[in-house]
Structures are given as structure tokens and as C-alpha cells.
Amino acid sequence: MSAGNAFLARKQRELGVALNEVQQKAVLQTEGPLLLLASPGSGKTTTIIMRIGHLIEGKGVDPSRIKAVTFSRASASDMKERFQRFFPDLPPVHFSTIHSLAFEVMRIYLHRKEIPFQIIEGDVDPEEQVQDQDQGDPGAEHLPLHKKIILRRLFQSINGENITDDQMDELTTYISYIKNKMIPEERWNAVKTDVKQAERILREYEAFKRSGRPKLLVDYDDMLTIANEALERENGLLRSYQQKYDYVLTDESQDTSVVQHAIIEKLVKGHGNLCVVADDDQSIYSWRGAEPSYLLQFKRVHPKAVTLLMEQNYRSTKDIVSVANQFIKRNKDRYNKNMFTRNPAGKPIRVRSLANFADQTKYLVREIQKVENLTEVAVLYRNNSSSIPLMNEFDRAGIPFYMKDADNRFFSHWVVEDILNFMRMTYTDRRPELLEKIYAKFNGYITKQQMAAVKAFHTNESVFDTLLDRVQLNEYQIKPLKASQETFRQMRGMPPRPAIQVIRERLGYEKALEKMCERLGFRKEYLLGILNTLEEIADTLQTMEEFASRLKYLESVLKTAKSRKGQNAVTFSTFHSAKGLEFERVYMIDLVEGIIPSAEDLKSGSPERGASLIEEATRLFYVGMTRAKQHLELLTYKERDTEKTTASRFVTAVMTILNPPKPPATFERKPAAASSGRGYKQSPGQMGERWNSAVPEAFNPNAITNQKELAPGLEVKHRVFGRGTIVRVNRERVHIRFEKTEKALSIATCLEKRLLEPV
């Protein structure tokens, strides 16, 4: 028996870890480049740990000569803990993030150059990092040296207005993307972003950090670019790192960026002992610079590389694995893998098409109340904003939950603050400072100068009376101002949900938001989503005071939910943050077009870019599906706040896999009666009925399933006959006029087989 096989046999006896054939090959293939493509639930971490253990125990490699690079601190910590459990008597191995490695290289490089530096990102206290500014620098005389504060001041200086949290997110993503992709300065303007003057802000941000202050200012992305630059320029430093590690392993490499790959490639250039562990089907971070094409081109960089496919899934039922495997094959830019499992079948994937958005959270509450072990339940969604309605309903139902990536910015969002200020105006319209916050966001047509005049009067009367009686107005302003004053008066004491609807419609707040979106590049769907969520929170509440209190309470609940990890609580998580996790029961929600795939995915500038975005959205959906062990449920709905929605194309794809279409039935030609003169004898109604019976029963989440929805004049689409208009409906049949004919179809069959959908 070889030393490698002896090692595997010994660990099987000691730990009960039995590796399959591919896993064994991955453990024993220690020399040269190895690309290990690991499907979800394929025992990737166990294989990595066993491979490192074999290097030390089986081949006598010094642990300090092995470098394992992971994507996150949590992953590094998990690997370190598992290695100690598997090999308690062995010295520790270097498990670290790529940023940790880059920081180490950068620190040595800058120390040798005698360049002091200061980190301006992360858990640094902005108030403790105040440094004198030269005249002409952005911001105040003393600027806190923190990345977001610097960017906020630059945005205000350049654009003349304050940056929102959403714009800050997009701006920092834009900067990270450019640095991680190593995009040269002359091509910065080619990177798409909705943030005004983003390129200029980035140029001034970079100049500010390097503008001769006592210390070089460094953010997290700079750690990577400076480390890569250091290894390029300093041969001695590069050689010292190349000689420090004989074996390098990178995990989650599908999420690694261009600059991160460049650092790793420099480290292994001498010995070539690089093990890259990845799954191109789970690459979901291209928006922040990840480069999945590196995996597809691995053989070009390393012609002698061995590629191993870990395709056996140990996590999920055969039903889930089979559908997920077929689903991901929609993508073209991928390795041709075939995920499989020897687990039993279990229950089929369930798809729920609910009438409206509000039914979704109510359904989840009903279903999850039946479950005892809540730690094995996860509700997954594309956007963090989906968590707020969930949190509201689950809190009311008394179901504990853990927020994987809680984001309490919702409660401090300016749209939320606007709505509260509108409500405050219903209690008293004598506070000019309240009007100042919302005067440009409703249909009073108040100018900035007129607002300043109101503030200057210092009267204790209605701000509307001040405007009408004391401020010079244009004739067209008088009527809408009086109407607005009366609307605020009528809203006094109104329940919060109808009050929000009045603010949106009669006071014109929603139209004001639309104009702001056009002018400032905000995402309209996102802002309207906040308003919709506020209405849902307001539902069942009686007073505006209760609504304001509920928002404060939910904000505190959100903070508490962050600390429930490991407790008997349901996990709420985005698809992105759920990667690497697994649960017995998974519910994927808000599966409608515009959310997944997102509106941005669907409106990209070029066909090539559009295809790339849809492929990434497909991978994201696949990540969500493969978190489930036993029970996977996909939730979509037909309507949200009176707006029609369309089920995600990914839900439709899953249903096609579950119920593949069958070829239409053929009809036996029968001799006609002598008087007929036709080859077969059948009325149009009978013909339609037989076609109904022949159509395969496939799931259509937008189909009409309630007879009450069938009404004369309604335009519908039949799965076989195409578009038509309902002419009349009786107890058993619906008569539909199609382009060339009219057919009488069985209502029961149409509803049961989901043959009709509204157009």
C-alpha cells in the first residue's frame, strides 16, 4: 500500500472519513497545478483539510511551508477549526484571507520604503482620525480620515448635494470594481455607474490619499493593489515569499478578482504547486470584481494542470440535485459538470404562485409555525429590502429569526424619514423646519426662495397661511397650496396606511420621487419598494403614532436579530450571503421578474453584457436552490400593490424541468357522415375540448386558477391557440374569440391544466 493510501485508510479508521474516488485523487495530487471544481455539497472543505493533512503527515511537509487562502475570515476560521479537529497533534497551518496576506506584503513593502500608512476603512473610529487639511481640500477644516466620510465630502463638493446611502454603496462598489479588475486610469470612464461624477470623485479621492500628508491613506482595495505592485517591483520581496511557501491552496476561487489572482500567481511562479478549489457555477460576485473566466482559462495559464470534478452531492435529495443540475445547464460559459447524488429521492421541489405579495409572508408564517427545529429553516431572497416585511410578520407571529446580514439602513433611509415628516405635518403645520424637509417633494410647487422667506417670518401660524398671505407667489401656486393645506388637514387622525397612500398620490410624493430618479439616477423600483414596505408595516395599525413606534421597535428587533446565531430561530439571508450554508428546509421568495433577474440584469446596454448578467443571476438562483437538504420551496406572486407581476423566468425553467412538455396528441381521422363532405366530423367546441385534453399539464405561475377571473372582454393567452378575447362565460364553458376562430373550452380543464393567463 502506498504512503498516500495508507494515510487515507488510517484517517478513515480514526475519523470515519471515507473519501470517494475523486476526493482521494484530490488529496493525493499534491505536485503541480490542480484545478478542483467542487459542486455544492460535495465535501469540498473535508477534501481540502485532508489534502493539507496528507502533505504534512504523508509527505513530511513543514506546516509553515503551506499557505491556504480563503475568501472570508469566517471561512478561514472554519477551516482552521476543522483542521485542528482532524489533526489535533499537528502544528497550525497558515489559513488566512487574501486581504490578510496582501496587508502583510504591503506592510513590509511600505516599511522598507519608509512610507508610513494609515488604514481608513473598517472598524476605525472616524472621530479619532482627524487630521489637518490644507486649504482647498474637500470638506471642513478638519476631516475625519475614513473612506466613506472622505467620499461623502467629495461627493458634496463636486455635486453640490449630499450623497445617499444607496449612492454611497454604488460609489464604493464602482471604486472596488475598478481596482479589483486592475482597470487603467484612462479606461475608468468606460465603467458604468449611475453615480454622478463618479470618475471625477475617484480621481480626487486617489489624489487626496496621496497628497503629501504625514501618512499614506490606504483602504482595503489599496492593500491588494499595493501588494501586487510590491511583488512586481521588488524582486527581493517576491523571492522571499516564493521561498516561504512550497504549497499554496486557494478556496472559493470563483469569487477571486483579477488583482487577487495576480498576487497568487506571482507566489507560485517558481514551484507551480497551486491547488485552486472553486465552482464556476457559484460565481456570483462579478459586480465587485470577481473574475470567473480565470477558471475557464486555467489550462492556458497552467498547461500541465490536472482538473478534477467533484460532482457527487452529499447534501440534498435526489429530486433537488437532479433539478438543480439541469437548471444550471442553461448557462453556456461553464465547465460541463454533472452534479449527482446517491441520496434518496425525498419530496419534489414545490412551487407556490400566490395571489399577491402580502400573501407570501402570511403563507411563510403559517408553514413555518408547524416546524419545531427552526435552526434548520432558511428564507432566502435577492435583496435585503425583502427582509423587512418578513421581519414585521414573523415578529407579529412570535417566530424568532436570525438575520444573516442584517441591514438597518432601511429605517434611516431618507424616504422613510420623508413619510414620517409628512405625517408630522398633519399634527402641526406651524413648523417651517418640517416644511423645509419636504417642500420640494409634494405638489405645492414651493421654490427655495419662498421656503427661505417662510423661515424668515418667525410667525406661529400655519406655514401655508404664511405662504399664502405673506410670501410673493405665482398665480398657479395658490390653488395647489390651498389644496395641499386642506389635504394635510384631512389626514389628521387618519390610519397610517391610507395616510401613506394619500401622501403618495394626492400630495404627489410618488411623482416627485420619479422626477428625482430621472435627475439623480436613483433606482425607482427600489424607492417605490420602500414605500410599499412602509404600507405593509402600517397595515392593521390605527394611528400614525403607532406607525412611528412600530418603525422604532422593528429597528431594535433588527439589531437583536443579529445576535440570534445558533439559537432556535429561522435564518433570513440574501442568496449571496447564504453561499456555503445548508438547511433542511429552504424557502426562496420574491421570485418575480425585476427582482431575479433584476431590472438591471434585464436592461443592460449590450447583448453580450446582458447574457453575462443573466448567467450570473442564473448562478445566484442555483446557489439558493442548492442550500436545501430535504425541502425546497419557490414562492412567486401575481401582484404587488395593484401592480401585476410576472413569475421569474427561473421559476418557469424549474417547472419545465419538473413537468417537461409532451408532444401534442394526434387525432385519429374518422370517416365523415355522407352529408358532411369533410374528412372528420367535429364541432369547433368539441375540437377545442379535445385540444384542451391533449395539452400537457405544465405549471404556469401566471395562469388563471379561479373561475371568477374569467369575464367577458378579458384578453387571455391560451397555451396552444395563442391570444384571444373572452366573449362569454357560462357554468361549464368559456367562449374565446381567437384570431381566426372562436372556441368553447371547458372551464374546469382550463383551470386545472392552467391553460389560460391574462394578457
Side-chain angles (χ1 to χ4, degrees):
M1 183 184 290
S2 69
N5 289 329
F7 166 80
L8 294 172
R10 185 171 70 255
K11 298 319 288 185
Q12 184 171 351
R13 288 194 306 270
E14 293 173 359
L15 300 171
V17 176
L19 303 183
N20 64 36
E21 185 180 348
V22 178
Q23 291 171 330
Q24 290 178 28
K25 286 181 180 178
V27 168
L28 301 180
Q29 179 65 45
T30 57
E31 306 308 303
L34 169 65
L35 177 60
L36 183 59
L37 295 169
S39 294
S42 60
K44 175 195 69 172
T45 304
T46 296
T47 304
I48 291 172
I49 297 301
M50 290 289 284
R51 188 176 192 276
I52 295 171
H54 169 57
L55 282 169
I56 301 168
E57 282 193 356
K59 301 201 67 174
V61 176
D62 184 339
S64 66
R65 309 289 297 173
I66 302 169
K67 182 66 172 177
V69 179
T70 65
F71 184 66
S72 66
R73 280 183 291 181
S75 179
S77 176
D78 177 57
M79 282 200 176
K80 183 177 180 181
E81 183 275 327
R82 200 176 304 197
F83 180 81
Q84 289 173 340
R85 186 152 39 91
F86 277 30
F87 303 97
D89 300 325
L90 292 184
V93 172
H94 294 281
F95 293 100
S96 71
T97 63
I98 186 68
H99 278 88
S100 174
L101 172 63
F103 175 75
E104 182 184 304
V105 174
M106 180 192 74
R107 185 179 58 195
I108 295 170
Y109 173 68
L110 293 179
H111 177 72
R112 290 181 181 179
K113 294 284 186 182
E114 298 184 343
I115 300 174
F117 68 91
Q118 180 174 320
I119 304 299
I120 58 168
E121 192 169 5
D123 298 328
V124 292
D125 184 354
E127 299 307 320
E128 293 179 4
Q129 297 198 36
V130 178
Q131 185 172 313
D132 287 342
Q133 285 184 231
D134 298 326
Q135 193 172 7
D137 278 337
E141 184 180 350
H142 296 283
L143 178 65
L145 295 178
H146 189 277
K147 178 179 181 178
K148 288 192 174 180
I149 293 178
I150 296 168
L151 290 174
R152 185 174 291 121
R153 302 259 178 113
L154 284 169
F155 183 95
Q156 205 284 330
S157 171
I158 291 169
N159 289 317
E161 57 195 32
N162 293 328
I163 191 169
T164 67
D165 289 341
D166 303 324
Q167 288 173 314
M168 178 63 79
D169 275 353
E170 187 161 352
L171 179 59
T172 53
T173 299
Y174 167 79
I175 293 171
S176 289
Y177 182 88
I178 283 173
K179 292 188 178 182
N180 276 274
K181 286 279 192 182
M182 299 174 67
I183 296 172
E185 190 171 346
E186 61 271 16
R187 288 178 45 216
W188 287 357
N189 62 355
V191 179
K192 183 182 177 299
T193 178
D194 290 331
V195 178
K196 289 193 304 181
Q197 299 282 351
E199 183 191 356
R200 182 182 166 191
I201 293 168
L202 173 54
R203 291 183 189 281
E204 295 200 15
Y205 173 62
E206 292 301 303
F208 178 75
K209 289 187 297 176
R210 293 163 173 77
S211 56
R213 284 170 170 67
K215 293 181 180 180
L216 174 69
L217 305 183
V218 176
D219 62 27
Y220 288 160
D221 297 314
D222 294 328
M223 290 182 192
L224 299 170
T225 56
I226 293 172
N228 185 54
E229 182 182 300
L231 295 174
E232 262 180 19
R233 293 184 176 181
E234 296 289 322
N235 289 331
L237 180 61
L238 175 59
R239 279 195 303 274
S240 71
Y241 269 91
Q242 288 175 335
Q243 293 166 5
K244 186 175 183 179
Y245 302 116
D246 295 325
Y247 296 90
V248 176
L249 179 146
T250 65
D251 185 27
E252 299 286 359
S253 297
Q254 75 276 356
D255 297 326
T256 305
S257 69
V258 174
V259 68
Q260 292 168 349
H261 286 306
I263 292 170
I264 296 298
E265 288 292 342
K266 288 180 177 66
L267 293 187
V268 302
K269 195 167 186 180
H271 52 69
N273 294 328
L274 171 64
C275 175
V276 168
V277 185
D279 182 7
D280 52 314
D281 289 332
Q282 296 187 75
S283 179
I284 55 176
Y285 289 106
S286 69
W287 48 273
R288 66 183 187 197
E291 191 60 55
S293 64
Y294 170 82
L295 302 176
L296 300 173
Q297 298 166 4
F298 193 75
K299 274 278 193 180
R300 293 184 195 171
V301 181
H302 302 280
K304 296 182 179 179
V306 174
T307 301
L308 295 175
L309 305 181
M310 287 174 54
E311 298 168 304
Q312 184 172 352
N313 179 297
Y314 293 92
R315 173 185 298 157
S316 308
T317 64
K318 190 170 290 185
D319 289 76
I320 294 171
V321 169
S322 174
V323 174
N325 181 55
Q326 292 180 68
F327 174 80
I328 197 59
K329 289 186 176 185
R330 292 165 56 88
N331 282 356
K332 306 303 178 191
D333 292 333
R334 62 184 294 271
Y335 281 94
N336 185 23
K337 300 188 293 296
N338 278 294
M339 182 172 62
F340 70 94
T341 187
R342 294 196 170 95
N343 292 340
K347 296 178 181 177
I349 296 172
R350 297 175 69 182
V351 177
R352 292 282 177 185
S353 178
L354 301 161
N356 58 62
F357 171 80
D359 290 341
Q360 180 177 246
T361 48
K362 291 179 173 61
Y363 171 77
L364 286 169
V365 165
R366 287 197 307 272
E367 289 297 300
I368 294 174
Q369 277 176 330
K370 304 170 189 174
V371 180
E372 289 186 17
N373 186 5
L374 298 179
T375 57
E376 287 295 342
V377 181
V379 181
L380 308 182
Y381 35 81
R382 173 75 183 261
N383 301 320
N384 258 315
S385 55
S386 296
S387 66
I388 306 301
L390 280 175
M391 184 176 68
N392 187 45
E393 287 296 327
F394 275 63
D395 175 75
R396 282 175 170 162
I399 303 174
F401 51 88
Y402 160 62
M403 298 286 280
K404 176 71 171 62
D405 39 12
D407 182 0
N408 59 4
R409 288 177 309 166
F410 174 87
F411 298 100
S412 59
H413 197 281
W414 56 270
V415 169
V416 176
E417 192 59 29
D418 280 349
I419 294 299
L420 290 173
N421 283 327
F422 273 104
M423 290 181 173
R424 290 176 185 123
M425 281 283 289
T426 69
Y427 289 98
T428 173
D429 62 2
R430 299 184 179 192
R431 294 172 55 189
E433 73 277 9
L434 271 184
L435 180 64
E436 187 176 27
K437 292 175 181 177
I438 60 171
Y439 77 93
K441 297 175 182 177
F442 69 98
N443 47 20
Y445 307 105
I446 303 166
T447 67
K448 190 174 183 178
Q449 293 74 19
Q450 289 166 343
M451 185 65 241
V454 172
K455 287 181 69 181
F457 277 110
H458 301 292
T459 64
N460 191 31
E461 63 183 8
S462 163
V463 290
F464 293 102
D465 289 340
T466 302
L467 278 163
L468 292 164
D469 298 339
R470 301 170 184 264
V471 176
Q472 186 173 353
L473 301 173
N474 294 306
E475 188 66 30
Y476 69 84
Q477 290 178 281
I478 296 173
K479 186 175 179 180
L481 277 174
K482 287 182 176 179
S484 296
Q485 182 178 25
E486 178 60 18
T487 299
F488 276 110
R489 188 192 66 76
Q490 291 173 359
M491 285 171 61
R492 193 169 299 150
M494 187 180 286
R497 183 157 195 168
I500 294 171
Q501 291 166 347
V502 169
I503 293 166
R504 294 177 72 163
E505 295 162 19
R506 278 170 55 191
L507 286 174
Y509 182 66
E510 195 163 315
K511 284 187 179 177
L513 286 188
E514 289 175 5
K515 289 179 182 176
M516 290 175 71
C517 290
E518 292 170 10
R519 184 167 55 90
L520 302 174
F522 296 157
R523 286 191 295 124
K524 175 184 169 184
E525 296 84 1
Y526 176 64
L527 298 184
L528 296 185
I530 293 175
L531 290 174
N532 294 338
T533 300
L534 290 175
E535 283 198 33
E536 286 144 16
I537 292 172
D539 194 33
T540 75
L541 300 179
Q542 297 303 309
T543 68
M544 295 182 206
E545 293 98 326
E546 287 178 354
F547 174 69
S549 297
R550 182 71 182 167
L551 289 178
K552 279 188 176 295
Y553 169 73
L554 288 176
E555 188 173 9
S556 68
V557 167
L558 184 60
K559 292 174 183 175
T560 305
K562 295 179 184 180
S563 62
R564 288 206 184 104
K565 187 175 182 179
Q567 298 179 19
N568 188 33
V570 180
T571 296
F572 294 164
S573 173
T574 61
F575 296 143
H576 282 97
S577 291
K579 190 154 72 72
L581 304 179
E582 59 183 29
F583 304 89
E584 291 292 326
R585 304 174 69 88
V586 169
Y587 298 87
M588 295 170 62
I589 68 167
D590 285 339
L591 304 182
V592 296
E593 294 282 290
I595 294 181
I596 185 161
S598 70
E600 287 74 20
D601 296 334
L602 298 171
K603 67 179 182 184
S604 71
S606 68
E608 184 179 327
R609 171 74 175 150
S612 174
L613 291 172
I614 292 296
E615 288 219 347
E616 179 150 339
T618 302
R619 295 193 293 268
L620 188 59
F621 198 92
Y622 172 77
V623 165
M625 293 175 71
T626 53
R627 299 311 94 200
K629 296 180 184 178
Q630 297 285 334
H631 182 101
L632 175 60
E633 202 155 335
L634 312 179
L635 271 60
T636 183
Y637 42 82
K638 300 177 183 177
E639 184 177 276
R640 179 165 186 174
D641 298 292
T642 71
E643 299 254 338
K644 295 288 183 185
T645 57
T646 303
S648 167
R649 65 193 63 192
F650 302 145
V651 173
T652 306
V654 168
M655 290 313 304
T656 302
I657 295 168
L658 290 170
N659 298 294
K662 301 167 188 172
T666 56
F667 300 105
E668 184 180 343
R669 196 174 179 87
K670 295 181 180 179
S675 60
S676 169
R678 297 179 181 174
Y680 49 85
K681 185 176 183 180
Q682 202 161 36
S683 72
Q686 290 171 323
M687 186 64 183
E689 180 63 29
R690 293 191 61 182
W691 265 107
N692 260 353
S693 303
V695 173
E697 186 173 350
F699 181 88
N700 179 355
N702 298 313
I704 296 172
T705 56
N706 188 332
Q707 185 169 344
K708 293 179 181 178
E709 297 179 49
L710 300 173
L714 178 68
E715 287 192 34
V716 294
K717 185 168 76 173
H718 188 280
R719 193 150 11 111
V720 173
F721 302 124
R723 293 173 71 111
T725 304
I726 295 178
V727 179
R728 61 186 181 279
V729 182
N730 57 35
R731 292 180 63 183
E732 296 182 355
R733 294 188 178 276
V734 55
H735 296 255
I736 304 175
R737 183 183 297 114
F738 295 100
E739 186 176 354
K740 295 181 179 178
T741 184
E742 181 178 315
K743 297 192 179 297
L745 306 178
S746 162
I747 292 175
T749 304
C750 286
L751 299 180
E752 179 188 351
K753 294 185 178 293
R754 299 173 178 264
L755 300 180
L756 300 175
E757 65 174 283
V759 177

